[in-house]
């Protein structure tokens, strides 16, 4: 299964007892899944959400088999635009998750942060960009994908054939003229001309909490039973 997008987040939150933490976590998973169902138009996917107290640290992943990703891309006609549409859908539901988590765990918008890794959707887009820039040939790009995906590539010959055809047909970027000139003087570092920042004060540690739980909630496939595992970290 391919990792389409992974989102990590951290939010300051009040302490919860075990039952409340499990309840809010399960509610968050269900709310997020409803958004995925509505906006990520793939025939099948897997969802995983891991949350840990102290405050709330979360990690969520959307996975799909290559065949499902191929179907989702093909639903939008052109391969490259379809790939971009699936990417936008994945980004959208990932952003929603962060807002839902803050709401579910009673957090203000100023007290948290999030980051997202692109996964295989971004990887494919970068493969196209490298071919268009002349860094890779289409054959080299396909070999790169086969090596990275392994069995997923073998089990989805239709996807690989379509990918190869679109890599061959992708318009190449025009060659850029170099603007470098060794005779030009280096520009001064503007930051070094300003006042040097003073030492940063260390961030005070979070107060100890009486309990520390970690919960993992996942659904292996669309329509399959939701699973939950709650463990005490310390």
């Amino acid at each position: 299964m391919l990792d389409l997008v992974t989102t990590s987040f951290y939010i300051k939150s009040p302490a919860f007892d075990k039952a409340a933490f499990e309840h809010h976590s399960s509610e968050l998973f269900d709310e997020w899944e409803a958004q995925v169902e509505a906006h990520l138009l793939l025939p099948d996917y897997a969802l995983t959400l891991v949350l840990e107290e102290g405050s709330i640290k979360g990690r969520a992943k959307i996975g799909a088999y290559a065949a499902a990703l191929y179907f989702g891309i093909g639903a939008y006609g052109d391969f490259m635009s379809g790939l971009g549409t699936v990417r936008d859908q994945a980004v959208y539901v990932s952003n929603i998750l962060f807002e839902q988590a803050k709401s579910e765990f009673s957090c203000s918008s100023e007290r948290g942060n999030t980051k997202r890794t692109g996964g295989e959707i971004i990887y494919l887009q970068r493969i196209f960009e490298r071919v268009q820039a002349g860094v890779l040939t289409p054959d080299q790009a396909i070999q790169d994908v086969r090596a990275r995906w392994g069995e997923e590539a073998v089990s989805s010959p239709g996807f690989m054939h379509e990918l190869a055809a679109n890599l061959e047909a992708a318009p190449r970027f025009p060659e850029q003229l170099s603007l470098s000139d060794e005779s030009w003087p280096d520009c001064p570092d503007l930051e070094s001309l300003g006042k040097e920042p003073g030492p940063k004060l260390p961030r005070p540690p979070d107060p100890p909490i009486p309990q520390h739980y970690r919960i993992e909630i996942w659904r292996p496939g669309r329509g399959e039973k939701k699973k939950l595992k709650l463990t005490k970290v310390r």
Side-chain angles (χ1 to χ4, degrees):
M1 182 170 287
L2 304 176
D3 176 6
L4 299 189
V5 62
T6 297
T7 304
S8 300
F9 58 87
Y10 169 83
I11 50 179
K12 297 288 290 183
S13 70
F16 295 91
D17 61 30
K18 178 181 178 182
F21 177 59
E22 181 175 351
H23 170 75
H24 286 297
S25 299
S26 184
E27 287 283 318
L28 176 60
F29 182 91
D30 292 343
E31 293 167 5
W32 177 49
E33 183 177 28
Q35 294 295 328
V36 174
E37 178 76 18
H39 299 287
L40 187 60
L41 305 183
L42 298 179
D44 193 18
Y45 47 76
L47 302 178
T48 303
L49 176 63
V50 180
L51 298 170
E52 189 171 314
E53 288 184 296
S55 293
I56 302 296
K57 302 177 184 69
R59 185 174 178 85
K61 183 171 74 173
I62 301 174
Y65 291 109
L69 178 59
Y70 179 35
F71 182 91
I73 293 172
Y76 298 98
D78 176 74
F79 190 95
M80 292 183 68
S81 64
L83 185 62
T85 300
V86 174
R87 177 209 61 202
D88 291 343
Q89 292 170 346
V91 168
Y92 178 75
V93 296
S94 297
N95 291 338
I96 283 181
L97 173 62
F98 181 51
E99 298 302 321
Q100 290 174 321
K102 289 187 292 186
S103 175
E104 186 65 43
F105 289 98
S106 304
C107 303
S108 68
S109 60
E110 294 80 13
R111 306 183 70 190
N113 57 69
T114 182
K115 65 178 182 178
R116 183 179 59 254
T117 57
E120 300 309 297
I121 300 174
I122 298 298
Y123 164 71
L124 286 177
Q125 289 188 312
R126 288 175 178 166
I127 282 288
F128 270 98
E129 291 170 358
R130 294 176 72 189
V131 169
Q132 291 177 285
V135 177
L136 291 177
T137 67
D139 286 343
Q140 288 172 330
I142 286 295
Q143 291 305 313
D144 193 293
V145 175
R146 291 187 186 279
R148 181 181 174 106
W149 286 8
E151 184 59 35
E152 280 295 310
V154 174
S155 62
S156 301
F159 185 104
M160 299 304 296
H161 176 77
E162 189 71 15
L163 177 61
N166 278 272
L167 286 168
E168 286 284 355
R172 303 304 187 254
F173 296 149
E175 184 176 350
Q176 300 294 317
L177 295 177
S178 175
L179 297 180
S180 63
D181 189 332
E182 294 181 356
S183 66
W184 293 1
D186 292 333
C187 294
D189 186 352
L190 296 181
E191 291 186 2
S192 65
L193 301 179
K195 183 179 178 181
E196 292 187 4
K200 292 184 178 180
L201 296 176
R203 177 187 169 189
D206 291 333
I209 55 177
Q211 58 189 6
H212 189 172
Y213 290 100
R214 181 178 188 271
I215 189 168
E216 182 176 0
I217 309 172
W218 70 100
R219 195 180 298 279
R222 193 173 182 178
E224 295 189 38
K225 184 178 179 180
K226 180 175 73 174
K227 301 183 179 182
L228 185 151
K229 179 182 180 182
L230 178 67
T231 55
K232 189 172 184 179
V233 179
R234 65 170 183 264

